Amino acid sequence: AVPVVGIIMGSNSDWPIMKHACDTLDTLGVANEAKVMSAHRTPERVEEYCKTAKARGIKVIIAGAGMSAALPGVIAAQTTLPVLGVPMENAKVASLDGILSILQMPAGIPVGALAVGRAGAINAGLLAGAILALSDEAVSQAIDKFRADQAAAVPIDPIDPV
Ligand code: RP5
């Protein structure tokens, strides 16, 4: 299937976290692609991706980055597709700077800022799905099922820790 969500990360070291966005979209049945490109290390790759994404059929971009975390904003500057930003957390990244880089976008170039790390990556996948669900009944039903399955998996009586 032609990918409709692009998952972009600043480094291969972001993949263990960003894979959660990919897995979430797979669960919803949303065709997606994952690519590594950096606003700083491979700026031409980012520019090329942004220039061609919409024409290729991409509808939402999820961008994950750590450290200075310029990537989501740089992508948003070069495409009018919705961009969801996920700040990374890992051993070598001081995450507050990354959070603020993604959060404090200047008026006029929006980035939807998600939570840090795994939760943000999963929610970026769900939010991308929700955007697509506005015009895709199959994705809408997949989100309903995800919510129902999630609710069913929450025990009403607490389970002792092992
Ligand atoms: C950012 O710097 C990446 O998004 C990553 O989170 C961080 C560290 O990158 P590596 O040095 O692990 O490649 O550009």
Side-chain angles (χ1 to χ4, degrees):
V2 177
V4 290
V5 177
I7 298 162
I8 307 302
M9 65 213 85
S11 167
N12 200 68
S13 68
D14 299 328
W15 180 231
I17 294 294
M18 294 310 290
K19 194 170 186 327
H20 291 289
C22 194
D23 293 346
T24 301
L25 289 162
D26 288 345
T27 300
L28 298 179
V30 174
N32 61 85
E33 64 181 13
K35 303 287 175 194
V36 179
M37 57 190 79
S38 162
H40 303 116
R41 291 171 177 154
T42 65
E44 292 89 358
R45 202 184 292 180
V46 175
E47 186 183 359
E48 178 66 17
Y49 190 90
C50 293
K51 273 187 192 158
T52 56
K54 196 183 269 185
R56 286 194 302 111
I58 297 291
K59 295 198 165 88
V60 181
I61 294 176
I62 296 172
M67 301 199 78
S68 77
L71 185 63
V74 166
I75 291 173
Q78 297 181 82
T79 178
T80 53
L81 290 170
V83 177
L84 307 177
V86 182
M88 288 302 105
E89 56 178 353
N90 66 45
K92 60 181 155 179
V93 169
S95 63
L96 186 59
D97 284 356
I99 294 166
L100 296 179
S101 299
I102 290 171
L103 195 62
Q104 306 212 93
M105 286 297 293
I109 305 294
V111 169
L114 277 298
V116 176
R118 176 179 174 276
I122 291 170
N123 283 345
L126 291 170
L127 199 50
I131 292 168
L132 296 168
L134 293 171
S135 58
D136 187 325
E137 186 52 30
V139 179
S140 179
Q141 287 177 15
I143 291 173
D144 288 345
K145 181 178 183 313
F146 177 93
R147 288 283 181 103
D149 290 350
Q150 180 170 252
V154 177
I156 192 161
D157 297 311
I159 298 166
D160 285 340
V162 279

PDB file of all heavy atoms in Angstrom, residues 83-109:
ATOM      1  N   VAL A  83       2.215  18.171  10.895  1.00  0.00           N
ATOM      2  CA  VAL A  83       3.443  17.596  11.460  1.00  0.00           C
ATOM      3  C   VAL A  83       3.255  17.403  12.959  1.00  0.00           C
ATOM      4  O   VAL A  83       2.916  18.347  13.677  1.00  0.00           O
ATOM      5  CB  VAL A  83       4.665  18.508  11.198  1.00  0.00           C
ATOM      6  CG1 VAL A  83       5.924  17.928  11.853  1.00  0.00           C
ATOM      7  CG2 VAL A  83       4.892  18.710   9.698  1.00  0.00           C
ATOM      8  N   LEU A  84       3.453  16.171  13.411  1.00  0.00           N
ATOM      9  CA  LEU A  84       3.371  15.846  14.835  1.00  0.00           C
ATOM     10  C   LEU A  84       4.782  15.598  15.344  1.00  0.00           C
ATOM     11  O   LEU A  84       5.511  14.776  14.777  1.00  0.00           O
ATOM     12  CB  LEU A  84       2.504  14.597  15.043  1.00  0.00           C
ATOM     13  CG  LEU A  84       1.110  14.652  14.409  1.00  0.00           C
ATOM     14  CD1 LEU A  84       0.374  13.324  14.622  1.00  0.00           C
ATOM     15  CD2 LEU A  84       0.299  15.806  14.989  1.00  0.00           C
ATOM     16  N   GLY A  85       5.185  16.292  16.407  1.00  0.00           N
ATOM     17  CA  GLY A  85       6.558  16.208  16.907  1.00  0.00           C
ATOM     18  C   GLY A  85       6.647  15.392  18.183  1.00  0.00           C
ATOM     19  O   GLY A  85       5.854  15.578  19.111  1.00  0.00           O
ATOM     20  N   VAL A  86       7.625  14.488  18.217  1.00  0.00           N
ATOM     21  CA  VAL A  86       7.843  13.649  19.404  1.00  0.00           C
ATOM     22  C   VAL A  86       9.253  13.901  19.936  1.00  0.00           C
ATOM     23  O   VAL A  86      10.235  13.556  19.277  1.00  0.00           O
ATOM     24  CB  VAL A  86       7.681  12.153  19.063  1.00  0.00           C
ATOM     25  CG1 VAL A  86       7.863  11.292  20.313  1.00  0.00           C
ATOM     26  CG2 VAL A  86       6.333  11.877  18.413  1.00  0.00           C
ATOM     27  N   PRO A  87       9.367  14.487  21.130  1.00  0.00           N
ATOM     28  CA  PRO A  87      10.700  14.658  21.725  1.00  0.00           C
ATOM     29  C   PRO A  87      11.240  13.320  22.237  1.00  0.00           C
ATOM     30  O   PRO A  87      10.502  12.546  22.839  1.00  0.00           O
ATOM     31  CB  PRO A  87      10.469  15.621  22.899  1.00  0.00           C
ATOM     32  CG  PRO A  87       9.029  16.010  22.877  1.00  0.00           C
ATOM     33  CD  PRO A  87       8.306  15.033  22.002  1.00  0.00           C
ATOM     34  N   MET A  88      12.535  13.072  21.974  1.00  0.00           N
ATOM     35  CA  MET A  88      13.147  11.812  22.412  1.00  0.00           C
ATOM     36  C   MET A  88      13.610  11.889  23.852  1.00  0.00           C
ATOM     37  O   MET A  88      13.957  12.949  24.354  1.00  0.00           O
ATOM     38  CB  MET A  88      14.375  11.493  21.554  1.00  0.00           C
ATOM     39  CG  MET A  88      14.078  11.060  20.155  1.00  0.00           C
ATOM     40  SD  MET A  88      13.038   9.591  20.122  1.00  0.00           S
ATOM     41  CE  MET A  88      11.495  10.319  19.671  1.00  0.00           C
ATOM     42  N   GLU A  89      13.646  10.725  24.457  1.00  0.00           N
ATOM     43  CA  GLU A  89      14.349  10.598  25.733  1.00  0.00           C
ATOM     44  C   GLU A  89      15.303   9.428  25.564  1.00  0.00           C
ATOM     45  O   GLU A  89      14.923   8.372  25.082  1.00  0.00           O
ATOM     46  CB  GLU A  89      13.378  10.321  26.883  1.00  0.00           C
ATOM     47  CG  GLU A  89      12.527   9.093  26.663  1.00  0.00           C
ATOM     48  CD  GLU A  89      11.601   8.797  27.835  1.00  0.00           C
ATOM     49  OE1 GLU A  89      11.706   9.453  28.864  1.00  0.00           O
ATOM     50  OE2 GLU A  89      10.766   7.883  27.687  1.00  0.00           O
ATOM     51  N   ASN A  90      16.543   9.632  25.874  1.00  0.00           N
ATOM     52  CA  ASN A  90      17.479   8.515  25.964  1.00  0.00           C
ATOM     53  C   ASN A  90      18.664   8.948  26.802  1.00  0.00           C
ATOM     54  O   ASN A  90      18.748  10.113  27.225  1.00  0.00           O
ATOM     55  CB  ASN A  90      17.882   7.968  24.585  1.00  0.00           C
ATOM     56  CG  ASN A  90      18.678   8.949  23.771  1.00  0.00           C
ATOM     57  OD1 ASN A  90      19.591   9.580  24.286  1.00  0.00           O
ATOM     58  ND2 ASN A  90      18.331   9.072  22.503  1.00  0.00           N
ATOM     59  N   ALA A  91      19.548   8.025  27.044  1.00  0.00           N
ATOM     60  CA  ALA A  91      20.619   8.253  28.014  1.00  0.00           C
ATOM     61  C   ALA A  91      21.442   9.496  27.706  1.00  0.00           C
ATOM     62  O   ALA A  91      21.861  10.203  28.611  1.00  0.00           O
ATOM     63  CB  ALA A  91      21.512   7.025  28.071  1.00  0.00           C
ATOM     64  N   LYS A  92      21.657   9.789  26.402  1.00  0.00           N
ATOM     65  CA  LYS A  92      22.545  10.904  26.113  1.00  0.00           C
ATOM     66  C   LYS A  92      21.828  12.208  25.791  1.00  0.00           C
ATOM     67  O   LYS A  92      22.451  13.195  25.443  1.00  0.00           O
ATOM     68  CB  LYS A  92      23.505  10.523  24.992  1.00  0.00           C
ATOM     69  CG  LYS A  92      22.884  10.145  23.686  1.00  0.00           C
ATOM     70  CD  LYS A  92      23.993   9.774  22.704  1.00  0.00           C
ATOM     71  CE  LYS A  92      23.443   8.830  21.652  1.00  0.00           C
ATOM     72  NZ  LYS A  92      24.423   8.455  20.663  1.00  0.00           N
ATOM     73  N   VAL A  93      20.516  12.196  25.924  1.00  0.00           N
ATOM     74  CA  VAL A  93      19.775  13.385  25.540  1.00  0.00           C
ATOM     75  C   VAL A  93      19.184  14.074  26.763  1.00  0.00           C
ATOM     76  O   VAL A  93      18.489  13.447  27.558  1.00  0.00           O
ATOM     77  CB  VAL A  93      18.654  13.006  24.547  1.00  0.00           C
ATOM     78  CG1 VAL A  93      17.703  14.162  24.331  1.00  0.00           C
ATOM     79  CG2 VAL A  93      19.267  12.577  23.219  1.00  0.00           C
ATOM     80  N   ALA A  94      19.489  15.370  26.905  1.00  0.00           N
ATOM     81  CA  ALA A  94      18.841  16.169  27.939  1.00  0.00           C
ATOM     82  C   ALA A  94      17.495  16.581  27.371  1.00  0.00           C
ATOM     83  O   ALA A  94      17.403  17.452  26.516  1.00  0.00           O
ATOM     84  CB  ALA A  94      19.687  17.396  28.261  1.00  0.00           C
ATOM     85  N   SER A  95      16.418  15.934  27.815  1.00  0.00           N
ATOM     86  CA  SER A  95      15.169  16.019  27.075  1.00  0.00           C
ATOM     87  C   SER A  95      14.470  17.371  27.177  1.00  0.00           C
ATOM     88  O   SER A  95      13.671  17.703  26.322  1.00  0.00           O
ATOM     89  CB  SER A  95      14.222  14.899  27.501  1.00  0.00           C
ATOM     90  OG  SER A  95      13.888  15.026  28.852  1.00  0.00           O
ATOM     91  N   LEU A  96      14.755  18.175  28.188  1.00  0.00           N
ATOM     92  CA  LEU A  96      14.036  19.447  28.314  1.00  0.00           C
ATOM     93  C   LEU A  96      14.279  20.341  27.095  1.00  0.00           C
ATOM     94  O   LEU A  96      13.346  20.957  26.563  1.00  0.00           O
ATOM     95  CB  LEU A  96      14.441  20.173  29.604  1.00  0.00           C
ATOM     96  CG  LEU A  96      13.644  21.441  29.895  1.00  0.00           C
ATOM     97  CD1 LEU A  96      12.145  21.144  30.020  1.00  0.00           C
ATOM     98  CD2 LEU A  96      14.139  22.117  31.175  1.00  0.00           C
ATOM     99  N   ASP A  97      15.530  20.400  26.625  1.00  0.00           N
ATOM    100  CA  ASP A  97      15.815  21.215  25.436  1.00  0.00           C
ATOM    101  C   ASP A  97      15.020  20.716  24.234  1.00  0.00           C
ATOM    102  O   ASP A  97      14.498  21.502  23.446  1.00  0.00           O
ATOM    103  CB  ASP A  97      17.313  21.172  25.094  1.00  0.00           C
ATOM    104  CG  ASP A  97      18.124  22.041  26.038  1.00  0.00           C
ATOM    105  OD1 ASP A  97      17.511  22.711  26.895  1.00  0.00           O
ATOM    106  OD2 ASP A  97      19.351  22.044  25.915  1.00  0.00           O
ATOM    107  N   GLY A  98      14.972  19.413  24.097  1.00  0.00           N
ATOM    108  CA  GLY A  98      14.234  18.831  22.976  1.00  0.00           C
ATOM    109  C   GLY A  98      12.756  19.143  23.064  1.00  0.00           C
ATOM    110  O   GLY A  98      12.107  19.467  22.063  1.00  0.00           O
ATOM    111  N   ILE A  99      12.204  19.026  24.267  1.00  0.00           N
ATOM    112  CA  ILE A  99      10.786  19.336  24.474  1.00  0.00           C
ATOM    113  C   ILE A  99      10.504  20.784  24.060  1.00  0.00           C
ATOM    114  O   ILE A  99       9.565  21.061  23.315  1.00  0.00           O
ATOM    115  CB  ILE A  99      10.396  19.148  25.961  1.00  0.00           C
ATOM    116  CG1 ILE A  99      10.498  17.685  26.353  1.00  0.00           C
ATOM    117  CG2 ILE A  99       8.995  19.692  26.222  1.00  0.00           C
ATOM    118  CD1 ILE A  99      10.464  17.464  27.864  1.00  0.00           C
ATOM    119  N   LEU A 100      11.345  21.683  24.544  1.00  0.00           N
ATOM    120  CA  LEU A 100      11.098  23.107  24.258  1.00  0.00           C
ATOM    121  C   LEU A 100      11.291  23.425  22.784  1.00  0.00           C
ATOM    122  O   LEU A 100      10.574  24.251  22.217  1.00  0.00           O
ATOM    123  CB  LEU A 100      11.997  23.986  25.144  1.00  0.00           C
ATOM    124  CG  LEU A 100      11.719  23.861  26.645  1.00  0.00           C
ATOM    125  CD1 LEU A 100      12.667  24.744  27.448  1.00  0.00           C
ATOM    126  CD2 LEU A 100      10.269  24.217  26.973  1.00  0.00           C
ATOM    127  N   SER A 101      12.251  22.752  22.126  1.00  0.00           N
ATOM    128  CA  SER A 101      12.466  22.990  20.688  1.00  0.00           C
ATOM    129  C   SER A 101      11.225  22.636  19.896  1.00  0.00           C
ATOM    130  O   SER A 101      10.881  23.306  18.917  1.00  0.00           O
ATOM    131  CB  SER A 101      13.628  22.130  20.174  1.00  0.00           C
ATOM    132  OG  SER A 101      14.807  22.453  20.847  1.00  0.00           O
ATOM    133  N   ILE A 102      10.556  21.571  20.309  1.00  0.00           N
ATOM    134  CA  ILE A 102       9.370  21.115  19.577  1.00  0.00           C
ATOM    135  C   ILE A 102       8.140  21.924  19.979  1.00  0.00           C
ATOM    136  O   ILE A 102       7.283  22.218  19.169  1.00  0.00           O
ATOM    137  CB  ILE A 102       9.188  19.596  19.794  1.00  0.00           C
ATOM    138  CG1 ILE A 102      10.305  18.850  19.047  1.00  0.00           C
ATOM    139  CG2 ILE A 102       7.812  19.118  19.343  1.00  0.00           C
ATOM    140  CD1 ILE A 102      10.395  17.362  19.338  1.00  0.00           C
ATOM    141  N   LEU A 103       8.103  22.315  21.254  1.00  0.00           N
ATOM    142  CA  LEU A 103       6.930  23.029  21.788  1.00  0.00           C
ATOM    143  C   LEU A 103       6.878  24.494  21.343  1.00  0.00           C
ATOM    144  O   LEU A 103       5.816  25.014  21.010  1.00  0.00           O
ATOM    145  CB  LEU A 103       6.992  22.964  23.316  1.00  0.00           C
ATOM    146  CG  LEU A 103       5.757  23.301  24.120  1.00  0.00           C
ATOM    147  CD1 LEU A 103       4.631  22.337  23.803  1.00  0.00           C
ATOM    148  CD2 LEU A 103       6.089  23.251  25.609  1.00  0.00           C
ATOM    149  N   GLN A 104       8.028  25.143  21.307  1.00  0.00           N
ATOM    150  CA  GLN A 104       8.031  26.607  21.156  1.00  0.00           C
ATOM    151  C   GLN A 104       8.220  27.023  19.705  1.00  0.00           C
ATOM    152  O   GLN A 104       9.157  27.759  19.375  1.00  0.00           O
ATOM    153  CB  GLN A 104       9.102  27.212  22.053  1.00  0.00           C
ATOM    154  CG  GLN A 104       8.946  26.783  23.496  1.00  0.00           C
ATOM    155  CD  GLN A 104       9.395  27.823  24.484  1.00  0.00           C
ATOM    156  OE1 GLN A 104       8.616  28.639  24.959  1.00  0.00           O
ATOM    157  NE2 GLN A 104      10.680  27.799  24.785  1.00  0.00           N
ATOM    158  N   MET A 105       7.312  26.575  18.861  1.00  0.00           N
ATOM    159  CA  MET A 105       7.376  26.970  17.458  1.00  0.00           C
ATOM    160  C   MET A 105       6.827  28.383  17.289  1.00  0.00           C
ATOM    161  O   MET A 105       5.858  28.760  17.950  1.00  0.00           O
ATOM    162  CB  MET A 105       6.566  25.982  16.611  1.00  0.00           C
ATOM    163  CG  MET A 105       7.243  24.633  16.428  1.00  0.00           C
ATOM    164  SD  MET A 105       8.805  24.782  15.528  1.00  0.00           S
ATOM    165  CE  MET A 105       8.216  25.292  13.906  1.00  0.00           C
ATOM    166  N   PRO A 106       7.431  29.167  16.406  1.00  0.00           N
ATOM    167  CA  PRO A 106       6.902  30.513  16.168  1.00  0.00           C
ATOM    168  C   PRO A 106       5.538  30.450  15.483  1.00  0.00           C
ATOM    169  O   PRO A 106       5.277  29.527  14.699  1.00  0.00           O
ATOM    170  CB  PRO A 106       7.951  31.141  15.243  1.00  0.00           C
ATOM    171  CG  PRO A 106       8.626  29.990  14.577  1.00  0.00           C
ATOM    172  CD  PRO A 106       8.594  28.859  15.571  1.00  0.00           C
ATOM    173  N   ALA A 107       4.683  31.426  15.776  1.00  0.00           N
ATOM    174  CA  ALA A 107       3.342  31.482  15.172  1.00  0.00           C
ATOM    175  C   ALA A 107       3.453  31.435  13.658  1.00  0.00           C
ATOM    176  O   ALA A 107       4.291  32.122  13.064  1.00  0.00           O
ATOM    177  CB  ALA A 107       2.630  32.757  15.609  1.00  0.00           C
ATOM    178  N   GLY A 108       2.637  30.594  13.055  1.00  0.00           N
ATOM    179  CA  GLY A 108       2.617  30.507  11.599  1.00  0.00           C
ATOM    180  C   GLY A 108       3.144  29.197  11.059  1.00  0.00           C
ATOM    181  O   GLY A 108       2.825  28.808   9.939  1.00  0.00           O
ATOM    182  N   ILE A 109       3.981  28.493  11.857  1.00  0.00           N
ATOM    183  CA  ILE A 109       4.532  27.192  11.437  1.00  0.00           C
ATOM    184  C   ILE A 109       4.242  26.180  12.542  1.00  0.00           C
ATOM    185  O   ILE A 109       5.062  25.986  13.445  1.00  0.00           O
ATOM    186  CB  ILE A 109       6.054  27.269  11.163  1.00  0.00           C
ATOM    187  CG1 ILE A 109       6.395  28.354  10.142  1.00  0.00           C
ATOM    188  CG2 ILE A 109       6.577  25.906  10.678  1.00  0.00           C
ATOM    189  CD1 ILE A 109       5.857  28.081   8.736  1.00  0.00           C
TER     190      ILE A 109
END
